[in-house]
Amino acid sequence: MLIYPPGDRSYYEPLAFCTDALKGSKPIIFASVNYRLGALGFLHCPDSATLLPPNNGLYDQIRAFEWIQKNISGFGGDPNNVIAIGQSAGAASLSLHSGQLRSEPLYQKAIVLSGSTTVLVTMTPEEHRKEFSYQAQKLGLDISQLSMVEMAREFISAPIDAIRNLNYCGAPCSSSELIPEHDWATMQHARKARPNTWLKSQVLSSSTYDGSVSYLVAKGQERTRLGKVFAAICRAKLKNPQYLLDLYDISEKDKDDVALQKICQVVTDIGFYGAAVSGLLGATESTETKSHLLLFDVGNPFPGQLESGRFATHTWDIVSLLGAYDGLLSGDDKKGLLEWRRELLKQLCMAHKLLQLAEQEGGEHGCDMIWENVVRFFLKTGNPRYSHEAADIIASHGQEV
């Protein structure tokens, strides 16, 4: 029994995957779970919690897992042999559910692809309150004339298309029943977290260019002086900034496309590979859960903004697993599996050096410090709401070229 939350994207089509399982005499029942709540899944207002409670989206996932446990036997499935697959934000959700303190299992095995709790930004109740007011104003509500309860009531009564047009993804809420820890979305927390005893095995995975998701976002922002901005951030935030810049050959003289490609390798190595390693370290003390680390390095063969066949991009791992585009791959592309093995040691070496730098910079907090203070800060400044921070940091820590 396999569960995957695909949304409505055709490249998550699992027919080839299920067909291969059937041909191998290992038939499976494949169940997919949609994000059915949209913005309302993670929009929260502490002053009107009965209308907009915290972490609705995560609770909705739990309801889906519970439904499967209760009903899958009616479809010929085994509730004691359920494998959950999550990718990106779905992987982050699985990381939470796998460590949730509950006696009854949601599933027995997990495949966590290119994502962890670190991928998600948690917000405190107060931060949720401010964000809710901001989104309510975007929706057209007069926040100066309405109480929080009135705003919440009008918000959830608004036309669904108006809510969708906010393009709001939201964030889980800390200091809550489901996420009591304030540091849940950190690698330090992952290194100490233990899987629940009902989880029998898990695969923790990273692709070698998961930073492609940040690359595409940044390209859409039409940012400039990227090498200069990133170098200035490193100088402002790190004790040994030049080590990181030299390790990834990032120069203020780099053209923006070149600089962005290198910066997004840093995004990959600290935010995805580093997070997967942190989760593995946390699971090593478990005697009930067998944990495995997977590095996916099969180049995405399709044309796009990144060179075809060179990068194992974000989402390409789950698409390859499910096999939606198997019929479009040439024999040469399938040989990418061999190149994966040849390049594996080289890629691991660079990422390992970055993790060593993180430890030198901040000990057990080092990975989170580089992720939050350098990488995530750089990505945040692409948003017009925060772009002034990039200008400020260049003014104080930039160097003339």
Side-chain angles (χ1 to χ4, degrees):
M1 170 65 212
L2 281 151
I3 313 167
Y4 181 72
D8 59 358
R9 296 173 181 172
S10 60
Y11 47 78
Y12 291 142
E13 165 63 53
L15 180 60
F17 183 66
C18 295
T19 301
D20 287 344
L22 190 60
K23 289 179 178 178
S25 299
K26 295 181 179 180
I28 60 174
I29 298 173
F30 191 97
S32 62
V33 179
N34 285 331
Y35 285 113
R36 60 180 182 172
L37 300 183
L40 297 179
F42 292 98
L43 190 71
H44 170 50
C45 180
D47 302 301
S48 54
T50 56
L51 295 171
L52 288 170
N55 303 318
N56 254 349
L58 294 172
Y59 282 112
D60 202 47
Q61 294 171 8
I62 293 173
R63 296 291 87 79
F65 286 129
E66 290 175 339
W67 188 94
I68 288 169
Q69 283 291 316
K70 180 180 179 181
N71 295 288
I72 198 60
S73 58
F75 296 87
D78 182 0
N80 296 312
N81 189 24
V82 176
I83 304 173
I85 304 176
Q87 193 269 344
S88 194
S93 297
L94 276 190
S95 297
L96 180 142
H97 297 314
S98 294
Q100 186 190 11
L101 295 177
R102 55 177 288 139
S103 58
E104 295 299 321
L106 296 175
Y107 43 83
Q108 287 73 37
K109 302 171 186 176
I111 300 175
V112 183
L113 299 174
S114 297
S116 67
T117 53
T118 309
V119 172
L120 298 180
V121 177
T122 58
M123 295 196 299
T124 65
E126 178 57 31
E127 289 171 329
H128 268 283
R129 180 183 288 109
K130 293 178 181 178
E131 187 63 31
F132 169 69
S133 295
Y134 177 77
Q135 296 298 329
Q137 191 171 27
K138 281 179 61 179
L139 192 62
L141 303 184
D142 187 351
I143 64 174
S144 65
Q145 300 296 319
L146 298 171
S147 69
M148 285 293 187
V149 173
E150 290 171 331
M151 274 195 289
R153 188 172 290 113
E154 291 203 22
F155 198 110
I156 62 178
S157 300
I160 191 62
D161 286 341
I163 297 176
R164 286 194 182 116
N165 290 338
L166 293 174
N167 293 320
Y168 180 68
C169 297
C173 184
S174 61
S175 301
S176 61
E177 180 183 18
L178 199 58
I179 308 174
E181 304 94 339
H182 71 280
D183 65 342
W184 172 74
T186 66
M187 282 176 259
Q188 182 191 12
H189 183 273
R191 291 180 180 218
K192 298 177 181 178
R194 303 288 180 268
N196 204 307
T197 54
W198 44 256
L199 186 68
K200 302 307 179 186
S201 64
Q202 62 176 345
V203 174
L204 306 176
S205 171
S206 169
S207 295
T208 54
Y209 204 67
D210 274 316
S212 62
V213 63
S214 299
Y215 180 93
L216 297 176
V217 170
K219 290 287 285 184
Q221 293 168 334
E222 299 181 354
R223 303 178 65 177
T224 60
R225 303 189 299 170
L226 299 185
K228 191 176 185 67
V229 171
F230 189 80
I233 292 172
C234 288
R235 285 191 286 269
K237 307 289 186 177
L238 299 179
K239 292 180 288 188
N240 189 2
Q242 200 57 47
Y243 182 88
L244 189 152
L245 297 172
D246 290 344
L247 181 62
Y248 289 86
D249 192 28
I250 298 171
S251 168
E252 296 190 23
K253 297 180 181 179
D254 286 337
K255 294 182 179 179
D256 282 339
D257 281 353
V258 174
L260 182 59
Q261 184 176 302
K262 296 175 181 178
I263 292 166
C264 288
Q265 188 64 62
V266 183
V267 173
T268 298
D269 292 348
I270 193 70
F272 290 89
Y273 174 73
V277 170
S278 296
L280 185 69
L281 292 174
T284 54
E285 298 300 321
S286 171
T287 57
E288 293 86 1
T289 305
K290 294 181 179 180
S291 298
H292 311 271
L293 182 67
L294 169 68
L295 190 66
F296 181 81
D297 191 30
V298 179
N300 186 332
F302 299 105
Q305 295 196 53
L306 287 164
E307 182 181 342
S308 173
R310 180 179 173 188
F311 298 94
T313 55
H314 194 68
T315 304
W316 176 233
D317 51 358
I318 184 64
V319 173
S320 298
L321 176 65
L322 297 182
Y325 294 152
D326 277 0
L328 301 179
L329 299 179
S330 67
D332 290 339
D333 289 328
K334 292 180 181 178
K335 291 180 181 178
L337 287 169
L338 296 177
E339 296 178 7
W340 177 15
R341 297 180 180 90
R342 297 188 188 109
E343 294 294 325
L344 183 60
L345 290 178
K346 176 182 176 182
Q347 189 63 44
L348 279 174
C349 182
M350 183 182 293
H352 181 65
K353 287 181 178 178
L354 179 59
L355 297 186
Q356 287 180 326
L357 171 64
E359 185 172 351
Q360 294 168 9
E361 289 285 337
E364 64 178 9
H365 302 279
C367 285
D368 292 303
M369 191 189 70
I370 292 180
W371 175 242
E372 293 291 341
N373 295 351
V374 177
V375 175
R376 188 163 263 168
F377 183 89
F378 170 82
L379 298 175
K380 180 185 75 170
T381 56
N383 187 320
R385 290 172 67 182
Y386 308 104
S387 58
H388 64 280
E389 296 184 32
D392 292 343
I393 208 164
I394 286 178
S396 60
H397 291 84
Q399 292 183 353
E400 294 296 328
V401 179

